[in-house]
Amino acid sequence: MLSPALPFKDALRGLRTGLATGRRMIRPLEDHSPKALAGLMRGVLSRADTVGLEVDRTTSRLVHMLLDRPESRDFRGWTMARMAVEPAGPAIFAERLYCGLDVAFERLGLPSELLSEARAARAFEHARHSAPEPEDVYDLSAELLLRADECMFAPPPPFGARTPTAERHLALFAVMLWLLAEPARDQEEEEALLGVCIDAASALGRQVADLPDDRQAIRQLLRDYARLI
Amino acid sequence: MAVALAPGPVRPVGSDPDLQRLRWFLPATSETLARIARQNGTEARIDKVRLAAAYLDWRQAAEGQPGHLAAGLLLRALLHHAPLRITPPATEPAEAAETPVRFWPEGHAFVCLCLEIRRRLLGSEAGPGPSFSDLRTWWSFRENVTDDTALALPFLDLFAGVMPDWNCSAGTAGTPRPLRGRPMLWTVPAGPILPAETATIVFDLATLTNADDLSVQALEGYLAALGAPVVAEEVRQRFLHRPVGAAMTHVAERTGLICPGSFITDLEARRAALVAEALVPAEGAAATVAALSGGGLSVLVVVPDGVRPATLPALQAHFPEARIYTDGLSALFETQAVRTTTVISTSPPVIATAVAAGADALGIAGETVLRGALQAAGARQVLPADTALLRLTGRS
């Protein structure tokens, strides 16, 4: 049974992302407005900024303070192998995937996409009981990578751009490597490790970007490279 | 050379703390490369993604390989992915350009790093060898690995002071594969390359013109006419500068018939016709002849048998400063002061003739097999085809 908090978390993030995207899209119009409307437009944008930033701060605080478990920021020890067997696995996976993709999208210079933690947790729950049942954690990760592309992201807000598939594959592959790699010794190293995984995925380039929808092929790639991270 | 990765006498790649995983290799190697650059008074820019690509390629290739081969494979991967850019100091003395580190700063830093890794993997304190400080070896290294990065393996052995195995380097799958022949060591200094005592320089016609291409074209056409076609590139590799019997054997094998008795004369007639119609000087050839002649050297162009007398005036017009010689190299040496003569040729038999007579000999080649053959024939140096003429006059 998934936590009922996850959809609420997604909704708050959706609200925040939608407002931010709207403000980004409207701002360039200010320069192209007739002179008579420019002042009015500036006033509207200024008020929208005030509201937007307040919503941003509040939702962020709500998400992190009210909904996250106190220990949830320290991911060490929650390897894919452990997530695959523990009841809390799906929720932890969703949270790690969200945080990992947040960093990966930024490092790769991609437009931000909203991952739904509720969808990710549900997909994890289904994947670990999928048919055929995953043979190992690499197989499970390959299945999750395919499902992530299909169904874990929220629809983009109005005017929001989607990341091209090839680049989304790079980000997802990087995070899967991070989840499969031997855990780091401390939190600081854990963050550096994610950076190394993003570099590795970028280094593999088209081999990863053009991933086929072939679970075995993805499993093999993850198994070959996770051990070297 | 001072290179310091984290200390630790560890041998297998997989158990070395800095090499075992990308998370440790990236920072340790970045820091080491940056330190090498600082020690040489330069500044390094490291591309982490390219460095990661080099590491991942290397680990796949080095699986199960012994230590010295593993270090060479790392050098190959670093040269291939080029994760380092070094900015030289804004001003420095001119003589600094004559050192390996200034000649190729990135290559030098990679070799320093890989020699250190080699020592650690082998648990040995040996090296570097004398070649490490020899600028001519670095010329050779750069030229060769630009053609084929697999040659990084024997070159790292050479820099380490170990006799390299030129006939075996690691292929893309990480398994040893034979080379086509010993790679040419480009021992070409930056300045003029003719010996100080050279008074006469003798060019084989093919070094100054497209004569070799025309020979290939003539044989290609003739083989096709005899029902034993071979594409031009294969003709060049199998038959150019080889005894004509090789081509005759090919015809016999392919057609089941004995070659016509007139094979040699027919072929020469075809070649002479092409030379008469289509011989053109190589780019920069006329300027090279003029510069050498202007520098006080006597310049001769030796024309092979079969070239029609009617072709000679045009040839003389291309190279007005040179004497066109039609009687063959052996006859030339009967009248020429051999010890002060340098012969330049693309043909191993011509090089062998010159060396046997006691002359200095330089080869010109554009590909590995011919380089090896010219060197085996006794050429003192083999110059790369694209820059040979410029180098002869010290212009490159």
Side-chain angles (χ1 to χ4, degrees), chain B residues 60-191:
Chain B
Q60 298 286 342
E63 200 74 57
Q65 299 284 5
H68 76 285
L69 211 51
L73 286 166
L74 177 58
L75 180 59
R76 183 185 73 170
L78 289 169
L79 291 169
H80 178 71
H81 289 284
L84 180 66
R85 286 283 174 274
I86 288 184
T87 311
T91 57
E92 62 180 349
E95 60 269 22
E98 300 299 316
T99 60
V101 68
R102 288 294 181 270
F103 168 68
W104 190 14
E106 291 86 2
H108 184 265
F110 292 150
V111 168
C112 288
L113 174 75
C114 292
L115 283 176
E116 175 61 24
I117 287 173
R118 187 182 190 281
R119 277 196 292 270
R120 284 171 46 166
L121 292 174
L122 296 177
S124 154
E125 290 302 315
S131 296
F132 182 77
S133 317
D134 181 358
L135 185 59
R136 291 170 306 169
T137 309
W138 284 86
W139 269 85
S140 169
F141 173 50
R142 189 171 188 171
E143 295 260 11
N144 277 288
V145 296
T146 301
D147 278 354
D148 182 359
T149 52
L151 291 171
L153 281 84
F155 267 102
L156 190 66
D157 284 341
L158 186 67
F159 286 128
V162 174
M163 180 66 77
D165 177 4
W166 297 109
N167 291 315
C168 181
S169 57
T172 48
T175 51
R177 67 170 170 77
L179 281 176
R180 286 180 293 174
R182 183 186 190 281
M184 179 53 216
L185 283 177
W186 301 106
T187 50
V188 185

Side-chain angles (χ1 to χ4, degrees), chain A residues 143-160:
Chain A
E143 174 67 12
L144 286 166
L145 195 149
L146 291 172
R147 284 176 185 246
D149 215 18
E150 281 169 19
C151 66
M152 290 188 202
F153 291 96
F159 310 114

Side-chain angles (χ1 to χ4, degrees), chain A residues 181-185 189 193 196 198-200 202-204 224-229, chain B residues 20-24 26-27 48-50 52-57 59-60 63 81:
Chain A
E182 186 181 298
R185 286 171 292 199
E189 202 177 271
L193 183 61
V196 168
I198 295 167
D199 287 340
S202 304
L204 293 170
D224 284 348
Y225 291 107
R227 71 188 173 87
L228 299 178
I229 302 294
Chain B
Q20 191 182 45
R21 291 190 184 274
L22 182 61
R23 70 183 76 174
W24 298 314
L26 276 182
K48 288 271 178 66
V49 172
R50 285 172 178 261
Y55 176 83
L56 295 174
D57 270 7
R59 284 302 306 272
Q60 298 286 342
E63 200 74 57
H81 289 284

Side-chain angles (χ1 to χ4, degrees), chain B residues 56 67 71 80 114 116 121 160 178 269 276 302 310 315 330 341 364 375:
Chain B
L56 295 174
H80 178 71
C114 292
E116 175 61 24
L121 292 174
V302 173
L315 196 56
S330 300
T341 297
I364 293 181
Q375 197 183 39

